[in-house]
Amino acid sequence: MNILVAQSGGPTAAINASLAGVISRAAEEWPDGRIFGGCNGIQGILEEHIVDLKETFCPGGKPDETLLHRLEVTPAMYLGSCRYRMKNFEEDPSDYEVFFGIVEKLGIDAFFYIGGNDSMDTVQMIGDYAQAHDKPLRVVGVPKTIDNDLMGIDHTPGFGSAARFVATEVREIALDTDIYLNDSVVIIEIMGRDAGWLTAASALARMDGSTAPHLIYLPELGFDIDDFLRKVKARLFRYHHVVVCVSEGLKDVNGDYLLADRSRVDKFGHTALAGTGGYLRDQVVNRIGCKVRCVELNVAQRAAGHCASGTDLQESRRLGSEAVGLAAAGKTSVMATLTRTSDDPYTVTYSSVDVHEVADRVKTVPLSWITPDETDVTEEMIRYLQPLIQGDPQTPVKDGLPDYLRMQK
Amino acid sequence: MNILVAQSGGPTAAINASLAGVISRAAEEWPDGRIFGGCNGIQGILEEHIVDLKETFCPGGKPDETLLHRLEVTPAMYLGSCRYRMKNFEEDPSDYEVFFGIVEKLGIDAFFYIGGNDSMDTVQMIGDYAQAHDKPLRVVGVPKTIDNDLMGIDHTPGFGSAARFVATEVREIALDTDIYLNDSVVIIEIMGRDAGWLTAASALARMDGSTAPHLIYLPELGFDIDDFLRKVKARLFRYHHVVVCVSEGLKDVNGDYLLADRSRVDKFGHTALAGTGGYLRDQVVNRIGCKVRCVELNVAQRAAGHCASGTDLQESRRLGSEAVGLAAAGKTSVMATLTRTSDDPYTVTYSSVDVHEVADRVKTVPLSWITPDETDVTEEMIRYLQPLIQGDPQTPVKDGLPDYLRMQK
């Protein structure tokens, strides 16, 4: 069997681990098969921008484990990405006709798409088209997103690494904030437009004797600025140095984004967000008047390979491998998934889920995992998060820096 | 002999390593002596906010190496900091009288102050007062600053760790930037108001086949916005994804800060800076019109213990230890220093420098280490930087996160 694999959506520290899993398992399952990589997701594939991954990663047919390990620990997308939305094929089948033309020309038997909600939508549509048009292609999704907001999976590949970076940074920024005598507030803006999982991970930053972060605001609950300022004031009185973690996607009590920039809407209909943390900083400066700093963790959250979770990389690679197993077993229109069977000791099992149950849906934080005062998470959330940030990624180091792998162009 | 040690100025990932060095060497030199820690620098000492470090770190008189190693790897200041400026004692001796009153009450024979330029000014003034008033106190400075702008030393403790973090983040952000088909620019704002050392370290981010960062702007040279936009455009045409690293302290051709907020000036007369990166992002959006993102590395640069340089921590600890050795040898009004004797293999020797040669002066990047086109650094700079970011700090990990040490309050 010959396969085609591509990556899509926003980067994570673990998405290349899934790619490594697809490559090594496919080389093992089908020693005579070819392994094609589609550059820049479906968008690049439609332009026939395709590379030979077997040639690069399996010289002489054998997987080069040293190279695959470098791929595994490299953040962002080795194959590049896209945010391309295919039209519904009943309305406009042209993209699908081009896609299946290429699939048939290259003799591809299985297509693997590594991505988040929007990418699973693409998997679903290509799978549906194949079924409706009697195409034998097996279409399998491999999950990833730092937002952890995919349905049908306990937690998403990429999330554990992002959570580890967020918790580490918040712990370090809390130490940094604590050193002067004057009262101060630091507001840390964390990614997550509709789901607060990553912001919730800031709670892991607490350590012996340190209560930071003192306030955690998730987008699942309506945000009230007056109540926020009252709480910051009360924490300042008690702790003098206050660390506040906020999701970029905070919404007011009407469910509208606090800081939506309505002039910018992307292809998937997502409104751009601008500066929730900066807005809150200005409010604290003007209405409380102490020293305030806003820190946006920004793209580092999704690219911090140097702080990746070993558990996350291992699971991400395994999910890539399992996806190949699913195709080998004849499955299609599914996403490879994992189910947690125990928190302590932490164990998971691997299986698959119908991609129709995943595509275009969002898994938010259960309200019961947010404390009644709406500014912290419960012990249940901590137990859920804790296993996901464990383990060193064993990133090879060269000249003092992570030795990442980049496609030679 | 009894000693007093304190920390001052901005945090670094290595300043607690110097504190660990002072504690362990003092415990060794003077088994019967006491080791006092001044909280929040000279400001806290004047309020007699003093703790017993020997009790904490040397239970039963023996240094607890496990605890000292946790202290060594913990970023920011264990003892807290201040930005307090003592007046010239000829104008107003009151602070000095309070300080020496406490020194005499506690029977302190040596005072160690770990800090940067402004802190060395304090060391100088206390040393001068002691000499003028026949006080037997030995006063020794221990250098630190992520800015690397101290005179009288090859490079400053804390700089190597900050440089390692900056280079790592820039490498990761470059990978993140490279994934889409559309042209894009990312502007990374790096700390350093008058010296471009840390921004220069972004050049280490380059790896096989990647030319990012494509443009590096240091505050040592006048910045021209039209020339900048021309260069960004040219790099976009060639590379499509352009990474620009800029110092927060960029100045125009008249030597004025590009983004000074003149309404805010601190006690040392330093003007506050606001948003050089954001300003440049807006200029690129308005005048070039491609996708642009601004990333401020922010306080993480000075607090990223998880990405510290092992070499930096080791040297910082050794400088704390050497400072105690200088006091034991009867020296005063000096700063412990190191001199590089070879780049490859990298070797240094330890000695001391008269603090009058260090205080209130700034070591900027030599213009000969900036390339003629003014947007990159030379091979000489790379040779200088390379050894400083080597080595893993061996940070103990607990529950997946760095196990830092915090003073129990």
Side-chain angles (χ1 to χ4, degrees), chain A residues 130-402:
Chain A
Q131 197 171 15
H133 296 78
D134 268 339
K135 305 284 187 187
L137 185 73
R138 296 166 202 176
V139 189
V140 180
V142 186
K144 75 88 206 153
T145 165
I146 63 162
D147 294 331
N148 196 38
D149 61 353
L150 275 186
M151 298 296 287
I153 190 162
D154 178 73
H155 58 275
T156 55
F159 172 67
S161 293
R164 187 171 189 229
F165 180 71
V166 165
T168 302
E169 288 277 296
V170 172
R171 178 172 287 189
E172 292 175 343
I173 292 168
L175 286 167
D176 184 280
T177 303
D178 220 23
I179 60 166
Y180 294 114
L181 285 171
N182 295 350
D183 287 6
S184 68
V185 174
V186 62
I187 295 165
I188 305 175
E189 184 184 310
I190 296 167
M191 283 181 166
R193 55 172 51 243
D194 295 314
W197 296 104
L198 200 53
T199 305
S202 68
L204 300 172
R206 293 183 189 129
M207 55 183 210
D208 293 348
S210 169
T211 43
H214 303 92
L215 295 166
I216 298 175
Y217 286 95
L218 310 187
E220 279 80 0
L221 292 172
F223 181 84
D224 179 88
I225 186 73
D226 295 312
D227 187 64
F228 165 77
L229 290 165
R230 259 193 307 277
K231 283 178 173 149
V232 169
K233 249 187 178 162
R235 301 300 186 284
L236 268 172
F237 184 76
R238 183 160 171 195
Y239 301 111
H240 303 289
H241 303 289
V242 177
V243 177
V244 186
C245 290
V246 301
S247 156
E248 62 173 343
L250 286 190
K251 298 177 189 73
D252 62 25
V253 287
N254 300 318
D256 294 324
Y257 287 118
L258 210 61
L259 262 288
D261 177 353
R262 287 181 210 298
S263 62
R264 294 190 293 146
V265 176
D266 77 3
K267 295 187 186 96
F268 292 93
H270 307 315
T271 310
L273 298 179
T276 299
Y279 165 74
L280 296 178
R281 176 194 54 209
D282 294 347
Q283 291 291 315
V284 175
V285 167
N286 294 334
R287 294 175 56 186
I288 298 181
C290 65
K291 187 180 157 194
V292 195
R293 191 186 277 275
C294 163
V295 179
E296 289 180 49
L297 293 187
N298 216 313
V299 291
Q301 290 164 87
R302 61 189 200 191
H306 77 277
C307 198
S309 144
T311 301
D312 184 27
L313 295 192
Q314 192 198 324
E315 290 178 348
S316 300
R317 182 152 179 178
R318 176 74 184 270
L319 281 163
S321 171
E322 292 291 324
V324 172
L326 292 168
K331 297 222 180 184
T332 187
S333 292
V334 292
M335 180 182 86
T337 191
L338 56 76
T339 307
R340 184 188 306 220
T341 41
S342 160
D343 280 330
D344 187 15
Y346 172 69
T347 50
V348 294
T349 56
Y350 293 87
S351 62
S352 69
V353 58
D354 184 334
V355 77
H356 298 81
E357 289 173 27
V358 179
D360 265 341
R361 295 169 69 185
V362 171
K363 185 178 76 178
T364 54
V365 171
L367 297 188
S368 63
W369 287 15
I370 304 175
T371 53
D373 75 346
E374 308 193 346
T375 56
D376 204 349
V377 296
T378 64
E379 270 307 308
E380 208 165 352
M381 173 67 96
I382 300 292
R383 268 199 305 280
Y384 169 83
L385 294 170
Q386 198 72 72
L388 311 182
I389 64 161
Q390 307 300 315
D392 192 275
Q394 309 289 339
T395 306
V397 170
K398 192 176 162 187
D399 295 335
L401 296 175

Side-chain angles (χ1 to χ4, degrees), chain B residues 134-400:
Chain B
D134 267 339
K135 305 283 186 189
L137 186 74
R138 296 165 201 177
V139 189
V140 180
V142 186
K144 75 87 205 153
T145 165
I146 63 162
D147 294 331
N148 197 37
D149 62 353
L150 275 186
M151 298 294 287
I153 190 161
D154 178 74
H155 58 276
T156 56
F159 171 67
S161 293
R164 187 170 188 229
F165 180 71
V166 165
T168 302
E169 288 277 295
V170 171
R171 178 172 287 188
E172 291 175 343
I173 293 168
L175 286 167
D176 184 279
T177 303
D178 220 23
I179 61 167
Y180 295 114
L181 285 169
N182 294 352
D183 287 6
S184 67
V185 175
V186 63
I187 295 166
I188 304 175
E189 183 184 310
I190 296 167
M191 282 180 167
R193 56 171 51 242
D194 295 314
W197 296 104
L198 200 52
T199 305
S202 68
L204 299 173
R206 292 181 188 130
M207 54 183 213
D208 293 349
S210 168
T211 42
H214 304 91
L215 295 165
I216 298 174
Y217 286 95
L218 310 187
E220 278 80 0
L221 293 171
F223 181 84
D224 179 90
I225 186 72
D226 295 312
D227 187 65
F228 165 77
L229 290 164
R230 261 194 305 276
K231 284 179 173 148
V232 169
K233 249 186 175 160
R235 300 302 186 284
L236 268 172
F237 184 77
R238 184 159 170 196
Y239 301 109
H240 303 289
H241 302 289
V242 177
V243 178
V244 185
C245 290
V246 301
S247 156
E248 61 173 342
L250 287 189
K251 297 178 189 71
D252 63 23
V253 287
N254 301 318
D256 295 322
Y257 286 118
L258 210 59
L259 262 287
D261 177 354
R262 283 180 216 298
S263 62
R264 295 190 293 145
V265 177
D266 77 3
K267 296 187 187 97
F268 293 94
H270 307 316
T271 309
L273 300 178
T276 298
Y279 165 76
L280 296 177
R281 176 196 55 209
D282 294 348
Q283 291 291 315
V284 174
V285 167
N286 295 334
R287 295 175 56 186
I288 297 179
C290 65
K291 186 180 158 195
V292 195
R293 192 187 276 274
C294 163
V295 179
E296 288 181 49
L297 293 187
N298 216 313
V299 290
Q301 290 163 88
R302 61 188 198 190
H306 76 279
C307 198
S309 145
T311 301
D312 184 26
L313 295 192
Q314 192 197 325
E315 291 179 347
S316 300
R317 181 153 179 175
R318 176 73 184 269
L319 281 162
S321 170
E322 292 291 324
V324 173
L326 292 168
K331 297 223 182 184
T332 187
S333 292
V334 292
M335 181 183 85
T337 191
L338 56 76
T339 307
R340 184 187 306 222
T341 42
S342 161
D343 280 330
D344 188 15
Y346 172 68
T347 48
V348 295
T349 56
Y350 293 87
S351 61
S352 67
V353 58
D354 185 334
V355 76
H356 298 82
E357 288 172 28
V358 180
D360 265 340
R361 296 169 69 184
V362 171
K363 186 178 77 179
T364 54
V365 172
L367 297 186
S368 63
W369 286 15
I370 303 175
T371 55
D373 75 347
E374 308 192 347
T375 56
D376 204 349
V377 297
T378 64
E379 270 306 308
E380 209 165 352
M381 174 67 97
I382 300 292
R383 267 200 304 280
Y384 169 81
L385 294 170
Q386 198 73 72
L388 311 183
I389 63 161
Q390 307 301 315
D392 192 276
Q394 309 289 337
T395 306
V397 170
K398 192 177 163 186
D399 296 336

Side-chain angles (χ1 to χ4, degrees), chain A residues 10-150:
Chain A
T12 81
I15 187 166
N16 285 329
S18 293
L19 178 60
V22 169
I23 296 170
S24 55
R25 179 74 178 271
E28 186 190 303
E29 288 280 342
W30 305 297
D32 301 324
R34 301 194 64 180
I35 303 171
F36 295 106
C39 297
N40 295 104
I42 200 73
Q43 191 179 2
I45 294 172
L46 292 174
E47 292 164 15
E48 233 172 308
H49 191 182
I50 287 166
V51 295
D52 187 333
L53 291 173
K54 199 158 190 178
E55 200 176 87
T56 305
F57 290 98
C58 312
K62 281 262 177 246
D64 178 339
E65 194 40 55
T66 306
L67 207 58
L68 282 165
H69 180 64
R70 274 181 69 203
L71 176 63
E72 181 181 326
V73 301
T74 298
M77 276 94 149
Y78 179 82
L79 289 169
S81 185
C82 71
R83 292 201 180 273
Y84 185 84
R85 190 177 187 84
M86 289 174 94
K87 294 204 182 73
N88 189 314
F89 61 83
E90 281 155 3
E91 281 167 36
D92 179 358
S94 56
D95 277 351
Y96 299 84
E97 288 161 3
V98 173
F99 178 81
F100 279 93
I102 293 165
V103 160
E104 281 151 23
K105 192 172 85 179
L106 295 175
I108 288 162
D109 304 289
F111 172 54
F112 302 92
Y113 209 36
I114 315 175
N117 319 51
D118 297 327
S119 312
M120 291 310 135
D121 193 43
T122 303
V123 169
Q124 174 186 303
M125 293 192 295
I126 293 177
D128 288 353
Y129 182 93
Q131 197 171 15
H133 296 78
D134 268 339
K135 305 284 187 187
L137 185 73
R138 296 166 202 176
V139 189
V140 180
V142 186
K144 75 88 206 153
T145 165
I146 63 162
D147 294 331
N148 196 38
D149 61 353
L150 275 186

